[in-house]
Amino acid sequence: GACMGIAMLAFLSHFALSRLARCSHMIPGNSKPTFPAIGAAAGGPLGKAIVWFGMLAMTLGVCGSYVVFMISRLQALFGLSQNAGLILVFVVVTLFSWLRSYQILAYTSFLGIMALVFALIVQSFDIFQHEFVPVSELQPFVRTGTYGKFLGNAGFLYLISTAILPLEQSMQEKERPRFSSALAVAMIPVTILNIAFAVSAYWGYGDCLYQPSHCVKGLVVDNLPKG
């Protein structure tokens, strides 16, 4: 059920993000408008205020989620208390916020991708070490009572709305009309990979409804052996 939900979320996200990118071409006299400028053009001062509020709310929500994630990982890896983890994350984030340019940290994007690939390989290897559970123990495939819970994590796959305008505006002028196609090329492999990995983990680790002591965790890395 969640797999169908992710596919539908990808379709809706592509539709909405493509329309958002088109806003760059709808502001008279400004080929590279900001989000508040688009809000002002669409709804005047109220539209501008709504856009600012939306950007602030989304930024706080996303950053807050990552802070919670980093603290939980520090607790799991180093045994830090919640308060100690919060202080450490706060100090590191504050130091980064003082940088006037992040160009010197560009190489960390490559390291992050390599770390993600390594984690995916390790997790997949662990999954295939388990005996896949019978399909009968994975039914029903859609559970209305808990169906909406997948949206929180799945939403992060396509939570790139604040980057859409800078990405579209950074393209060569003649290529900008093809942004929607380029976005689709990027989103399709991401969607397929995440659905395949999710199905493998769910099938390999099992459903908590039938195996509460050994089943796929909310954070899949928690299924890895300790040590």
Side-chain angles (χ1 to χ4, degrees):
C3 295
M4 294 184 292
I6 291 175
M8 180 58 67
L9 184 63
F11 174 79
L12 295 175
S13 296
H14 180 268
F15 176 83
L17 295 174
S18 296
R19 294 302 181 274
L20 177 60
R22 291 180 59 187
C23 292
S24 284
H25 308 271
M26 297 181 178
I27 308 299
N30 188 353
S31 63
K32 296 184 178 181
T34 61
F35 287 103
I38 294 173
L46 178 60
K48 184 176 182 179
I50 292 174
V51 169
W52 270 114
F53 176 79
M55 292 177 63
L56 178 62
M58 192 197 75
T59 301
L60 290 176
V62 173
C63 291
S65 298
Y66 278 114
V67 167
V68 171
F69 173 76
M70 288 187 287
I71 293 174
S72 67
R73 292 304 90 198
L74 288 172
Q75 288 179 301
L77 293 174
F78 304 108
L80 296 180
S81 66
Q82 186 173 6
N83 290 336
L86 178 60
I87 292 172
L88 180 59
V89 171
F90 176 78
V91 170
V92 172
V93 171
T94 300
L95 292 175
F96 281 148
S97 69
W98 290 345
L99 294 176
R100 298 183 65 87
S101 173
Y102 292 105
Q103 186 174 0
I104 60 174
L105 301 176
Y107 70 92
T108 60
S109 295
F110 174 77
L111 296 178
I113 293 173
M114 291 298 99
L116 178 61
V117 171
F118 175 75
L120 185 62
I121 292 173
V122 171
Q123 192 80 54
S124 298
F125 180 79
D126 184 68
I127 290 172
F128 286 98
Q129 296 302 303
H130 293 74
E131 182 176 350
F132 284 83
V133 301
V135 176
S136 60
E137 293 189 7
L138 302 179
Q139 297 176 357
F141 294 122
V142 177
R143 298 170 188 171
T144 55
T146 58
Y147 185 73
K149 291 185 176 180
F150 85 93
L151 281 172
N153 290 329
F156 277 93
L157 289 175
Y158 314 110
L159 196 61
I160 57 173
S161 55
T162 54
I164 286 299
L165 288 188
L167 287 172
E168 195 269 348
Q169 293 169 4
S170 67
M171 298 176 69
Q172 295 182 5
E173 199 63 34
K174 64 179 181 179
E175 298 293 340
R176 288 178 67 181
R178 300 174 58 188
F179 178 80
S180 179
S181 299
L183 181 63
V185 170
M187 291 181 67
I188 290 174
V190 169
T191 302
I192 293 175
L193 179 62
N194 276 274
I195 289 178
F197 180 76
V199 170
S200 299
Y202 183 50
W203 196 4
Y205 292 129
D207 192 323
C208 294
L209 182 65
Y210 296 95
Q211 304 178 47
S213 61
H214 179 72
C215 59
V216 64
K217 308 296 183 184
L219 191 60
V220 72
V221 294
D222 288 338
N223 284 101
L224 292 173
K226 302 298 182 182

